[in-house]
Structures are given as C-alpha cells and as structure tokens.
Amino acid sequence: MTVPPPTSPSPSPSPSVPRPSSPALSVVVATLRVAGCVFAEDEARLLLSTARTPAELSAMVERRAAGLPLEHVLGWAEFHGLRITVDPGVFVPRRRTEFLVDRAVRLAPRSGAVVVDLCCGSGAVGAALVADLDQAEWYASDVDPAAVACARRNVTGGEVFEGDLFAPLPAGLRGRVDILLANVPYVPSDEVGLLPPEAREHEPLVALDGGADGLDVLRRVTAEATRWLAPGGHLFVETGERQAPHAVEVFQRDGLLARVEHSDELYATVVIGTRPGGRADRVGRGGADR
C-alpha cells in the first residue's frame, strides 16, 4: 500500500466563526511551522476558534506542536458534513473515507435500511451514512473499548457494541443487513512504520495493521458477510489501490459479486460486494444498482 500524501486538516471552521487576525494568530502559526505542521495557518485558525481561554489555547498549541493529531487536540473532526467527536487514542476518520460513504448512500434502500458498521472507530462512517437515510436501523461494533466509548457519543438512534467484528451483534440481524460497512485496517504490517508519526504513534495499532498483505481483517469480514447480508445487500470496504484486485478475489471466493470504485480526487479505493439473490432492478437512493 502506498501511504497517501498529506492533506489539509480535516476540520474546517464554520463560516460563522470570524477568522482570527490578532497577534496571537501569528504566534501560533510560527510555533506550528517550527514544529513542522504543513498547514500551520489553517490549523492555527482552528485552534484559535476552538480554544475558550488563553490558557486552553496555549495547552492545545503545545500538544499539537508535540505531534498529537490535530483532531485529537481539537476533540473533533469534520467528516462528510458532520462534526465527529474524536477522543485521544481513537482512529481519526479520513477524508478519503467519505468516498465509501458516498457509494453506500447511492446503493442504500430509500427508507428503512438496516445498516451495520464494523471496525467503527469513532462511529463516523455509520453516522455519516445514516444522516443521509430515512428511518435507518443501525448497529456498530469495534474491538477497542476507547473507540466504542467515543462512538457511543457520536451515534444517534443506533447501538454500539464492544467486540470482534460480528461477534457482539444481535443474532437477529443475520440475513437482514442491507448495508455492511467495514472500514477495516489495511496497511500491511511491514508498512505501518512508514505511516506519518501522527498515525503510528497516536492511533491504535489494531486500527492500522492489516496483517502481512493488509487483507487479514478483510478476509474475516467476507468469510461471514453472506450470513449477515440480506439478498442483494452490499458490503463496502476501503483498500489500497494495489490491493484491490486481490480483495476482489477474496470477495468472489466468499460468494459475493464484487467490483472496485476509485476516486482520484480523494485518493480512495473502495471494493463493493453484493450478496446474490436480490431483485436485479433493486434501486438505491441514487438510482439503479449498477
């Protein structure tokens, strides 16, 4: 997997928040630049807009300059139009994963979808999808207790379970799931050390390391997916671009119809698997499933 290039900070200030122009801005920008922050001015404005007191601002700048991810310093990340709470030590939702959400929105039933979000982390992916659906029934799970606690703060109208993949989910969901989201770890083990320090030092290894070829967790998901998906239901997994052909083979081996979609703009690759047996003309919110 090729590590994606740096992107601008995911959070962005609300248009209603005045853009700070005080001497404090210059000081914060200079401090962040010395620390190596690529988008120092944008980050400085976010910190100034978020901090409630000079002491809090000073502490936030110090943590950011020490290498803590911006989202952990702010306590939130912007994702697919939502402000998602992100606690220290929890995986930070990536902008590129918005592409996965967009693909899922397009294929989800118009109303009453049953949604499951595995490896949910902060709960950002499921929350973003359900925000665009009507009367969805949804569930999420993660093996990391810190992520589960964070997701429970972001989830509205759904349930979050602590446990390994499908294990903690209610058995009654088997064969009923319309949309199965699985933002699994997919960095090959020997490439974890190539990730930016913000990720490898401040995010849980379980959310990053996908095994020797990066597909270990994906294989475990696809092995059970057809038991949980409704006929015609869809599984969405993000992978690296060069991993995608191998991921498709795994999907097909486990009985899923599979295809790959890619976004050059977001540097994102998503594999979509469909359980056979649904109506050929099944229509999602954005049109026919094609």
Side-chain angles (χ1 to χ4, degrees), residues 2-16:
T2 303
V3 177
T7 59
S8 59
S10 61
S12 59
S14 166
S16 63

Side-chain angles (χ1 to χ4, degrees), residues 161-219:
F161 299 93
E162 182 181 334
D164 186 32
L165 299 178
F166 299 95
L169 297 177
L173 285 174
R174 290 195 181 101
R176 295 183 53 230
V177 179
D178 297 302
I179 300 293
L180 177 57
L181 309 167
N183 194 22
V184 300
Y186 61 90
V187 181
S189 298
D190 62 2
E191 295 184 22
V192 171
L194 303 178
L195 292 172
E198 291 180 3
R200 67 174 188 266
E201 295 176 8
H202 298 285
E203 294 180 319
L205 184 62
V206 70
L208 303 171
D209 190 341
D213 64 354
L215 300 178
D216 281 2
V217 183
L218 180 148
R219 290 187 185 93

Side-chain angles (χ1 to χ4, degrees), residues 55-286:
E56 186 175 34
L57 174 62
S58 178
M60 293 172 73
V61 172
E62 183 178 345
R63 291 197 298 273
R64 179 60 182 139
L68 198 69
L70 175 66
E71 296 82 359
H72 288 167
V73 175
L74 295 173
W76 57 272
E78 182 184 335
F79 183 79
H80 210 265
L82 302 179
R83 181 173 288 200
I84 300 294
T85 296
V86 183
D87 295 331
V90 174
F91 182 81
V92 175
R94 308 314 200 235
R95 277 288 177 89
R96 62 178 173 270
T97 308
E98 293 181 352
F99 181 65
L100 183 152
V101 174
D102 289 337
R103 300 303 89 185
V105 168
R106 187 184 69 175
L107 294 177
R110 295 180 183 277
S111 181
V114 178
V115 176
V116 168
D117 182 7
L118 301 181
C119 305
C120 71
S122 64
V125 176
L129 172 61
V130 171
D132 280 341
L133 302 179
D134 297 324
Q135 299 180 328
E137 176 185 349
W138 71 295
Y139 307 84
S141 74
D142 200 289
V143 72
D144 180 8
V148 170
C150 186
R152 284 175 176 161
R153 296 164 63 193
N154 289 312
V155 167
T156 302
E159 294 185 69
V160 183
F161 299 93
E162 182 181 334
D164 186 32
L165 299 178
F166 299 95
L169 297 177
L173 285 174
R174 290 195 181 101
R176 295 183 53 230
V177 179
D178 297 302
I179 300 293
L180 177 57
L181 309 167
N183 194 22
V184 300
Y186 61 90
V187 181
S189 298
D190 62 2
E191 295 184 22
V192 171
L194 303 178
L195 292 172
E198 291 180 3
R200 67 174 188 266
E201 295 176 8
H202 298 285
E203 294 180 319
L205 184 62
V206 70
L208 303 171
D209 190 341
D213 64 354
L215 300 178
D216 281 2
V217 183
L218 180 148
R219 290 187 185 93
R220 295 180 56 219
V221 171
T222 61
E224 294 192 54
T226 56
R227 300 188 192 108
W228 293 85
L229 287 170
H234 305 287
L235 165 64
F236 297 81
V237 176
E238 185 176 275
T239 72
E241 186 174 8
R242 84 167 188 233
Q243 296 167 315
H246 305 290
V248 166
E249 292 175 3
V250 174
F251 273 54
Q252 293 173 337
R253 181 198 67 197
D254 288 328
L256 296 165
L257 305 175
R259 69 178 187 274
V260 178
E261 297 201 18
H262 183 77
S263 168
D264 291 329
E265 179 184 0
L266 292 175
Y267 201 79
T269 300
V270 172
V271 182
I272 303 171
T274 304
R275 178 186 166 186
R279 291 193 301 117
D281 60 347
R282 180 176 179 175
V283 175
R285 291 172 60 87

